[in-house]
Amino acid sequence: MKPVRKAIFPVAGLGTRFLPATKSIPKEMLPIVDKPLIQYAVEEALAAGIDTLIFVTSRKKHSISDHFDRAFELETKLAASGKLELLECITDIIPSNITRAEVSQLETLGLGHAVNCARGLIGDEPFAVLLADDLIKTSGPGCLQQLISQYEQTGQSTIAVQSIAAEESDQYGMIKPSSSDRKVLSIVEKPAPEDAPSQLAVVGRYVLTPEIFPLFDDLGAGSGGEIQLTDAIALLIKEQAVGYCEFSGRRYDCGSKVGFIEATVDYALERPELRGKILHHIRKSLN
Ligand code: UTP
């Protein structure tokens, strides 16, 4: 079984749920406390042993590659003024032994289309997909690490799922699980609650086998007029087993305002230097 070494970060979406903030700033650069969402996702991938990071970007996303580049002027100033902690947090966010690549998605035709844009860089290997706007906090191994561990046991594509409220199914890819062996029996994008096959929703972490790529060739637009990754996975299920992983951890939908604010509060409360002040502020506001 080939190891999972490469990860795709689709970051070419329009982020309409977060306008006007995302008119010129990519959603993935919105910070939770002081770190952009994309950096959390990259750190999760690196911790899971990924050594090749592939960003699927669009025209307006230069700030993402800037974020991972060196900033010599800033580094020089921080070094000269002895701000070594700050210097450390902006250098080598991505270690030098890690390969970083970018491919363009020329039109935002959907998540499936974005993943297929990276096809030439993946080749014949299993790979991970991480959606940075799904921020996943774990106390042990990260969510992607959990998926990779399951992939290493089964050799099957493995997708992250979590239970959601029934009325939210029309915001997610929803699966029908086979509870005995953690296999996905069927998957459908954004079904109405009465059509949802279960309450298990797909969240933004996937390990996929390369056999998914040819399935994009004849894939038309699906839900919302977009080329959906879910629809390609539905075709993959007909050819080979696909597993699901009910990961342990808390997921924040940072593409939504409520999820973003919840994450901001929770991550801030975990920082000893912020906790007291934030709690004081919340109590004052509630009174
Ligand atoms: P979303 O469904 O969250 O879409 O995409 P979006 O456009 O970013 O945000 P909203 O819904 O308009 O607010 C899920 C992920 O897929 C990427 C996004 O960048 C996000 O990480 N994506 C989506 C692409 O890279 N290309 C696309 O064509 C669509």
Side-chain angles (χ1 to χ4, degrees):
M1 185 194 310
K2 290 184 181 165
V4 183
R5 296 186 309 111
K6 297 178 180 173
I8 300 175
F9 299 83
V11 292
L14 298 175
T16 54
R17 283 171 295 162
F18 238 111
L19 286 169
T22 45
K23 188 176 167 203
S24 63
I25 300 170
K27 171 170 70 175
E28 296 79 9
M29 283 302 292
L30 295 175
I32 299 299
V33 185
D34 51 12
K35 205 195 281 186
L37 283 166
I38 189 68
Q39 188 176 337
Y40 288 97
V42 162
E43 287 173 355
E44 182 183 326
L46 295 177
I50 296 294
D51 65 15
T52 303
L53 311 170
I54 302 166
F55 297 89
V56 181
T57 65
S58 67
R59 219 158 23 91
K60 291 194 217 135
K61 306 274 176 156
H62 300 297
S63 56
I64 293 180
S65 55
D66 289 350
H67 180 70
F68 293 113
D69 279 340
R70 300 286 298 269
F72 288 108
E73 193 187 341
L74 184 58
E75 286 176 24
T76 311
K77 283 219 162 122
L78 291 174
S81 53
K83 295 183 172 158
L84 300 184
E85 236 175 83
L86 289 178
L87 178 62
E88 201 182 328
C89 82
I90 63 154
T91 41
D92 296 332
I93 298 173
I94 297 177
S96 54
N97 61 329
I98 301 295
T99 303
R100 174 159 64 103
E102 268 182 44
V103 286
S104 296
Q105 184 188 24
L106 298 179
E107 270 183 278
T108 44
L109 295 179
L111 174 60
H113 181 261
V115 168
N116 196 33
C117 287
R119 180 178 186 163
L121 295 179
I122 297 290
D124 190 26
E125 288 183 38
F127 61 97
V129 178
L130 295 95
L131 308 187
D133 52 348
D134 272 337
L135 177 61
I136 301 176
K137 185 144 77 70
T138 57
S139 47
C143 182
L144 182 61
Q145 178 65 71
Q146 296 176 46
L147 261 60
I148 290 177
S149 299
Q150 187 170 321
Y151 166 81
E152 285 169 351
Q153 287 164 21
T154 65
Q156 298 162 358
S157 292
T158 306
I159 57 186
V161 298
Q162 71 169 179
S163 190
I164 54 144
E167 65 271 19
E168 292 176 0
S169 67
D170 56 1
Q171 300 164 37
Y172 294 91
M174 302 295 297
I175 68 158
K176 182 174 183 185
S178 131
S179 45
S180 54
D181 55 3
R182 293 186 296 180
K183 284 204 185 96
V184 180
L185 297 176
S186 65
I187 184 167
V188 55
E189 185 66 21
K190 301 189 174 68
E194 59 275 20
D195 300 326
S198 74
Q199 280 178 239
L200 287 181
V202 179
V203 308
R205 300 291 184 276
Y206 309 75
V207 169
L208 296 168
T209 53
E211 288 78 27
I212 195 158
F213 285 121
L215 302 174
F216 286 110
D217 290 344
D218 298 317
L219 196 63
S223 168
E226 298 195 334
I227 295 173
Q228 297 287 356
L229 182 57
T230 299
D231 294 342
I233 295 172
L235 294 177
L236 188 63
I237 290 169
K238 293 185 185 156
E239 291 188 357
Q240 55 181 239
V242 172
Y244 67 88
C245 172
E246 275 190 273
F247 61 95
S248 79
R250 163 118 199 237
R251 170 238 177 203
Y252 300 87
D253 174 10
C254 293
S256 80
K257 288 164 199 151
V258 170
F260 178 84
I261 293 164
E262 286 174 354
T264 301
V265 171
D266 286 359
Y267 277 71
L269 288 177
E270 282 201 344
R271 298 268 287 261
E273 78 280 17
L274 301 177
R275 186 178 172 83
K277 287 178 186 157
I278 301 289
L279 282 175
H280 176 71
H281 172 75
I282 292 172
R283 285 194 196 104
K284 219 168 72 182
S285 295
L286 289 176
N287 291 332

